[in-house]
Amino acid sequence: MTRIGFLSFGHWQPAPGSRTQTARDALQQTIELAVAAEELGLDGAYVRVHHFARQLASPFPLLAAIGARTTRIEIGTGVIDMRYENPLSMAEQAAAADLISDGRLQLGVSRGSPEPAFRGAENFGYVPAEGEDDGDLARRHTAIFRAAIAGTGVAEADVRMTGSPARLPIQPQSPGLGDRIWWGSGTRASAEWTAEQGMNLMSSTLLSEDTGVPFDELQAEQIRLYRQAWAIAGHDREPRVSVSRSVIPLATDLDRAYFGDRALRDAADQVGYLEGVVARFGKSYIGEPDVIAEQLAQDAAVAAADTLLLTVPNQLGVEYNTTMLASIAEHVAPAVGWSPATARQS
């Protein structure tokens, strides 16, 4: 394991105890947490994207703001639901955010997760074509987006304006961005497809399939099949793989008050139905720092990935989450082979 970052769901609501009462709170605190994470030596600041919910919904202004306030930390998404996106507009925004951050954008995209809106993407103007399902729509949008950021001409030129009939690419372009696109995969088969397409693999805390083995072993198999398919495809670069985990050290009385009752309840995988299919949800690592460090070191998928994204309880505020990340960095992360970015660069 060489990289560790945080993943914020960006929840906000005017509820007692919430430190993110408004969308403004959630946005500004995400920027502040990214700055704090960089100072701790962490490697990444990632955000979830959800529509029609009190969460982060428009990532590029936020990512650009983080990029302007930081100098080293990777910034990214986990993931953008491509059903909702205008691929060419997204290509312009992604390139701009990447240029502002000096090439630190790591963009996770996919078909997205269950949402509160019924056929929500249709309200944005996007409907699957005849014979397509939602997944096909997301993959089609992704293909157009990837072609656009690669510099492919996507618009017919007006020769009276350009003097040439050559098709026009979107502007700006950000060299190298195409190698930093990740697909959020929930199955072994989609992981193999991701490899064939030449995208990095982003795997979450659930898989929409179950074979009866522990979650980390099933996810490790997913990663193995991805790397195998990547090698067969013959791509000319090394792929990257990330996994997400809920890791909460109980280092203080406040930690135990917030999360102590979850330590046993969430200490095992859960199997249930998600959108009509059996899904396996990975366990959380909650407990004394030395204990969860030893447990995390035995996680087969964490060992197989190169990037670990730590989900954070963002509604508890920047101070709490900074302290939690510092505790993980000092007492837990070294068990999976991590050291602060500042130490690796010195």
Side-chain angles (χ1 to χ4, degrees):
M1 176 64 59
T2 58
R3 297 178 176 90
I4 288 182
F6 74 81
L7 173 62
S8 175
F9 285 39
H11 292 289
W12 59 274
Q13 59 178 326
S18 173
R19 302 301 173 89
T20 53
Q21 294 280 313
T22 66
R24 179 178 181 273
D25 292 338
L27 290 163
Q28 292 193 336
Q29 289 184 27
T30 302
I31 298 168
E32 293 169 10
L33 186 59
V35 172
E38 181 171 83
E39 293 173 352
L40 290 172
L42 268 64
D43 303 284
Y46 288 72
V47 297
R48 287 287 298 270
V49 180
H50 283 285
H51 300 285
F52 302 108
R54 290 176 175 176
Q55 292 180 248
L56 302 173
S58 182
F60 292 109
L62 175 59
L63 294 173
I66 294 173
R69 287 280 307 277
T70 57
T71 61
R72 173 194 53 77
I73 199 168
E74 293 180 341
I75 58 177
T77 54
V79 293
I80 294 174
D81 187 334
M82 293 300 291
R83 294 175 296 173
Y84 284 80
E85 296 298 324
N86 178 311
L88 301 188
S89 176
M90 178 177 166
E92 292 178 340
Q93 295 179 65
D98 196 42
L99 291 168
I100 289 170
S101 67
D102 198 21
R104 289 183 279 135
L105 188 61
Q106 303 287 339
L107 205 59
V109 302
S110 194
R111 174 253 188 243
S113 58
E115 56 182 353
F118 177 67
R119 296 164 66 175
E122 293 187 15
N123 294 279
F124 279 57
Y126 303 113
V127 181
E130 185 175 352
E132 280 189 334
D133 59 20
D134 279 359
D136 296 326
L137 172 62
R139 286 185 285 271
R140 174 162 57 84
H141 279 190
T142 300
I144 297 170
F145 165 75
R146 294 181 69 206
I149 63 173
T152 301
V154 295
E156 182 179 353
D158 185 336
V159 178
R160 297 170 299 176
M161 297 289 294
T162 64
S164 168
R167 293 181 66 81
L168 302 176
I170 63 102
Q171 297 294 345
Q173 290 284 313
S174 188
L177 177 57
D179 291 341
R180 289 178 272 115
I181 306 302
W182 307 59
W183 184 262
S185 168
T187 65
R188 291 164 295 173
S190 65
E192 292 179 294
W193 175 85
T194 302
E196 293 165 0
Q197 301 302 308
M199 289 185 283
N200 299 315
L201 177 66
M202 185 171 279
S203 192
S204 185
T205 53
L206 68 90
L207 293 172
S208 52
E209 59 183 350
D210 181 45
T211 64
V213 304
F215 176 82
D216 68 310
E217 294 181 17
L218 180 59
Q219 193 174 47
E221 181 183 0
Q222 179 196 38
I223 294 170
R224 179 183 62 79
L225 292 171
Y226 167 79
R227 294 192 186 280
Q228 181 178 306
W230 185 280
I232 292 172
H235 302 300
D236 60 0
R237 65 177 178 88
E238 286 295 315
R240 288 184 59 183
V241 175
S242 74
V243 296
S244 301
R245 293 292 184 270
S246 177
V247 179
I248 302 176
L250 301 182
T252 68
D253 289 341
L254 185 60
D255 297 332
R256 285 181 277 274
Y258 279 137
F259 300 106
D261 64 338
R262 287 181 48 190
L264 292 177
R265 187 178 71 227
D266 296 348
D269 294 352
Q270 299 179 38
V271 178
Y273 283 91
L274 183 69
E275 295 191 316
V277 300
V278 177
R280 179 170 284 265
F281 301 77
K283 65 183 180 182
S284 297
Y285 292 92
I286 305 173
E288 296 299 319
D290 58 334
V291 174
I292 61 174
E294 183 176 346
Q295 293 173 342
L296 195 63
Q298 301 303 313
D299 189 305
V302 171
D306 62 74
T307 300
L308 172 61
L309 300 182
L310 305 167
T311 60
V312 295
N314 76 285
Q315 285 182 278
L316 294 182
V318 176
E319 182 179 355
Y320 181 85
N321 280 287
T322 300
T323 301
M324 186 187 77
L325 290 174
S327 180
I328 293 172
E330 181 177 359
H331 301 294
V332 180
V336 295
W338 179 85
S339 59
T342 48
R344 297 196 303 269
Q345 294 171 353
S346 61

